[in-house]
Amino acid sequence: MAASAPTSSTIDRSRQVPPGDPSPLRPEEDRFLDAALAAGRGGQRVVELMGEPGAGKSRLLGDFARLARQRGRLVLRGSGGSGEPGLRCDMFVEALRRWLADRGHRDRRDAAAWLMRELAVGPFPAGPSPANSVVDDRCRTFSAVTGLLDDWAAHRSDGGGGLALVLDDVHAADSGSLELLEYLLRWPTEAPVSIVVAHRPAQTPPRLRGLLAERVEDGTAVSVELGPLSLAQSARLTGLPADSPRLRSLHHASRGVPLYLLALDRWPAFSGDDLEGDAWLDRGPALPSVFTARAEAELEPLTREERLVAAAAAVLGDTFDLAAVSAVSGLTEGAACRVVERLQRLDVVRAVDRGDHRFRHPLLRRVLYQETDPCWRLGAHRRALTVLVARAAPVQTLALHVERSVPGSAPEDIGVLAAAAHDSMRAGDLASAGERLALALRLVGGDGADIRGRAAARHGAQGRAAAARTARCRAEQAAELLQLAEQLTARTGRRALRDEATRLVRHIDVPAPREAASGRRAASREAADRLTGLTTREREVAEIAATGKRTRDIAAHLRLSPRTVDVHLSRIYRKLGVTSRAELARFITESLPGRTARGTA
């Protein structure tokens, strides 16, 4: 219960809240209900309820509507974004339609039906300076709304009731609804009318937020914000013991948002792991409908361009930047920037430090990821891999993108998977190590490298030299994979993977360990020799570009113009025989002394 002294509106929960109803979970909920039930009497008549998606606003509005009806009030309920396309004043048309659908209301039906038609199709200004006749028509219609509400409220007040106008999802309302709401917020009425407004602050137009703040400052409104649940409140909602490890995992992963908490609790695939990273994105069955239906409804209005950028961001990872999302989506960086700004206004993504962005919640990212076309995702993961290799991303992150793209479409895929298998084995995750190693063995034992070698051989001496390098690289990779298979067999005691490894690489001339090391050293010397052909400035540009920095960042670091950096890069590519920054990064890595096959990842 709120800390203020009890009033006549204070609620006896033991009598009025049905058994099994989780409310009130938070003190703010009691404060809101007390304020909303007291509104319309005296000076304060507006109650603002704020909270992010899934915070429980709609459920709380339902509680209030039920309690208000029990006290004899006429309740009109509307919701933003619920109207038909092209419908004006959707929130208020919906509220009147619900009232007309109630067969218990027989009086004033003609006036309500006329007003509903006027609001739905009536003339409203299309620009900042409408014609006077349009303004006059709008004012007459809005005045008719207040007159009808006054009349209904006065009629109900004879029995001690009044009228409550309950508006949900105001942030999604059309412009006509917002205009009428602003008119009502300034409406100087003496009738017992209360206006209850629920919205998401991050998506609500600044003008409406400012007007609500003014009403709070002058004492005619009360504002309540629903924050995240505490651990004890999460225990009450889920029914789990307060000291349960699962409850702590659920609370942490949901960030205390009730909708996400319930979704995770009902999701069989949730094992208590954190939702950061990519490993869980396509794991297990679909999320429960309690969440997916809400998330899909929220994402449905996105334009094709907004959905493309959001899908590219979902492929990239928890955190993404404009350069990366531009490369994966195929849009220019300027276009991607404009779309990300729109997604930020819609609260699909949020800004984090240093110009990066992330999804509002990982569960929203999963819904977006699973909704994208699987064939498009294959190419998107390959484009993301190119970006992340150039930025020297962690090898486990690279391996996930290899698995989700078209494995084997690039020669370095096997090295990435081998490095990830080695890291997993060192960390004790033998199951993951076995999966990565098995995929790498299928790639190195397949015919992809042979096809590339035959294609290269058709281009004369240079092609034959390239084919020889490919065959040597493939043999070295096979040697390393066999060694990893032996190590994993020794750790697990299971010989199936080692036997499969031997079978898959039996047609490859696998060098002995010393010969493989000698071959890697030769490749490193060859790369280092080719680097000597670069000038000092070109070498500086190449080494910085290999870290994944963008052209403008390199220019700022070296105090050059971006155009000069581009000229240097074109010369570097020509001298080294590479065609992209990802290839440049691998070339620089190969030139390092003491390089191993795992280091190439």
Side-chain angles (χ1 to χ4, degrees):
M1 191 61 65
S4 58
T7 66
S8 59
S9 65
T10 299
I11 302 160
D12 182 356
R13 294 291 176 192
S14 63
R15 290 185 293 105
Q16 296 188 353
V17 176
D21 192 322
S23 59
L25 291 171
R26 293 161 280 199
E28 307 96 283
E29 299 185 16
D30 265 329
R31 179 168 173 254
F32 164 77
L33 289 170
D34 286 341
L37 289 169
R41 313 288 182 182
Q44 180 263 317
R45 62 185 187 87
V46 178
V47 181
E48 175 190 28
L49 181 63
M50 297 184 291
E52 71 171 69
K57 301 183 297 299
S58 297
R59 174 185 59 82
L60 198 51
L61 290 182
D63 286 350
F64 164 68
R66 175 173 50 80
L67 292 169
R69 289 191 185 99
Q70 289 176 4
R71 297 190 176 197
R73 292 194 189 183
L74 172 62
V75 177
L76 298 180
R77 293 191 64 178
S79 179
S82 60
E84 302 166 11
L87 192 68
R88 306 239 185 206
C89 294
D90 59 353
M91 288 194 303
F92 298 94
V93 170
E94 181 191 11
L96 290 168
R97 181 185 289 143
R98 286 185 176 184
W99 184 85
L100 286 170
D102 187 342
R103 295 183 180 275
H105 298 302
R106 298 188 181 276
D107 54 343
R108 300 172 177 80
R109 293 178 64 87
D110 291 342
W114 171 84
L115 185 57
M116 188 175 75
R117 287 193 298 271
E118 285 295 304
L119 290 173
V121 299
F124 290 99
S129 302
N132 290 336
S133 60
V134 174
V135 173
D136 292 342
D137 288 341
R138 177 190 62 182
C139 290
R140 279 194 294 270
T141 302
F142 286 3
S143 295
V145 173
T146 58
L148 189 65
L149 296 180
D150 268 338
D151 187 29
W152 285 352
H155 176 71
R156 282 296 180 125
S157 66
D158 295 340
L163 183 144
L165 181 59
V166 181
L167 303 174
D168 196 7
D169 289 337
V170 170
H171 56 275
D174 68 291
S175 59
S177 290
L178 293 176
E179 276 193 80
L180 178 50
L181 177 57
E182 291 176 8
Y183 184 89
L184 293 176
L185 291 175
R186 296 187 174 96
W187 169 33
T189 182
E190 296 297 326
V193 176
S194 59
I195 302 175
V196 180
V197 175
H199 65 100
R200 304 173 187 173
Q203 300 176 46
T204 303
R207 178 171 165 174
L208 179 58
R209 290 204 312 266
L211 181 56
L212 288 166
E214 289 176 14
R215 298 285 77 85
V216 172
E217 289 175 5
D218 65 22
T220 59
V222 171
S223 181
V224 178
E225 183 167 9
L226 297 180
L229 299 177
S230 67
L231 189 63
Q233 292 161 355
S234 296
R236 182 173 179 186
L237 181 60
T238 60
L240 293 171
D243 57 351
S244 163
R246 176 172 173 79
L247 176 67
R248 287 195 294 271
S249 297
L250 286 168
H251 181 73
H252 172 74
S254 68
R255 301 176 188 169
V257 178
L259 177 64
Y260 304 152
L261 181 72
L262 292 173
L264 289 172
D265 191 31
R266 299 172 188 175
W267 188 35
F270 182 70
S271 58
D273 299 330
D274 199 346
L275 300 183
E276 303 295 324
D278 301 320
W280 67 283
L281 263 184
D282 50 6
R283 185 185 67 193
L287 288 161
S289 58
V290 69
F291 175 79
T292 53
R294 289 275 300 272
E296 288 168 0
E298 180 181 350
L299 298 171
E300 194 272 336
L302 295 184
T303 66
R304 181 178 178 276
E305 198 174 49
E306 288 165 352
R307 189 171 287 274
L308 173 64
V309 169
V315 165
L316 276 165
D318 293 318
T319 303
F320 62 93
D321 60 71
L322 293 176
V325 86
S326 168
V328 176
S329 67
L331 299 177
T332 65
E333 198 165 325
C337 179
R338 290 189 291 274
V339 176
V340 169
E341 285 179 355
R342 295 202 299 268
L343 292 174
Q344 193 173 338
R345 287 196 296 272
L346 294 170
D347 204 24
V348 175
V349 302
R350 293 176 176 175
V352 294
D353 293 339
R354 300 175 183 175
D356 289 339
H357 293 78
R358 69 187 311 158
F359 283 94
R360 186 183 71 234
H361 196 278
L363 291 182
L364 188 61
R365 179 187 169 211
R366 177 179 170 113
V367 171
L368 256 167
Y369 183 85
Q370 291 188 321
E371 279 191 346
T372 57
D373 176 60
C375 296
W376 179 88
R377 279 205 311 257
L378 291 176
H381 276 292
R382 180 56 56 179
R383 293 189 292 274
L385 182 63
T386 300
V387 172
L388 296 173
V389 165
R391 296 181 177 185
V395 69
Q396 296 293 354
T397 300
L398 300 180
L400 284 165
H401 286 285
V402 168
E403 292 170 343
R404 289 183 170 94
S405 59
V406 184
S409 60
E412 65 273 10
D413 286 356
I414 297 169
V416 168
L417 292 168
H422 182 271
D423 282 4
S424 295
M425 190 162 55
R426 187 170 53 191
D429 186 359
L430 302 184
S432 177
E435 292 172 0
R436 270 34 187 298
L437 181 55
L439 179 55
L441 284 165
R442 289 198 296 273
L443 296 181
V444 81
D447 61 357
D450 289 337
I451 293 172
R452 288 191 294 271
R454 289 195 298 271
R458 290 195 295 267
H459 293 83
Q462 187 176 0
R464 287 191 292 276
R469 287 197 298 271
T470 298
R472 184 176 68 238
C473 176
R474 189 182 186 201
E476 291 175 6
Q477 289 172 332
E480 182 186 15
L481 294 177
L482 283 174
Q483 186 179 2
L484 284 172
E486 290 284 355
Q487 294 172 3
L488 195 57
T489 298
R491 294 279 296 274
T492 63
R494 294 191 293 270
R495 301 180 54 180
L497 184 62
R498 184 186 62 184
D499 294 343
E500 180 69 5
T502 303
R503 184 187 68 81
L504 287 171
V505 303
R506 66 182 183 275
H507 59 289
I508 301 175
D509 186 14
V510 179
R514 288 187 179 181
E515 293 175 356
S518 175
R520 288 192 292 270
R521 286 194 295 270
S524 179
R525 285 194 300 270
E526 179 184 348
D529 289 343
R530 290 167 71 185
L531 280 176
T532 59
L534 302 181
T535 66
T536 303
R537 179 62 83 185
E538 289 170 349
R539 180 68 179 260
E540 289 177 335
V541 171
E543 291 178 350
I544 298 174
T547 67
K549 289 189 179 296
R550 292 170 290 186
T551 296
R552 65 168 178 255
D553 297 327
I554 300 171
H557 182 76
L558 297 177
R559 297 183 179 180
L560 302 172
S561 71
R563 173 60 182 161
T564 301
V565 171
D566 286 336
V567 170
H568 282 309
L569 282 172
S570 65
R571 291 172 179 168
I572 292 166
Y573 288 177
R574 186 173 64 254
K575 290 180 179 180
L576 299 183
V578 299
T579 59
S580 68
R581 296 199 185 196
E583 290 184 30
L584 177 61
R586 291 192 295 273
F587 192 93
I588 296 294
T589 304
E590 286 182 353
S591 70
L592 299 176
R595 178 185 67 89
T596 65
R598 287 186 297 275
T600 61

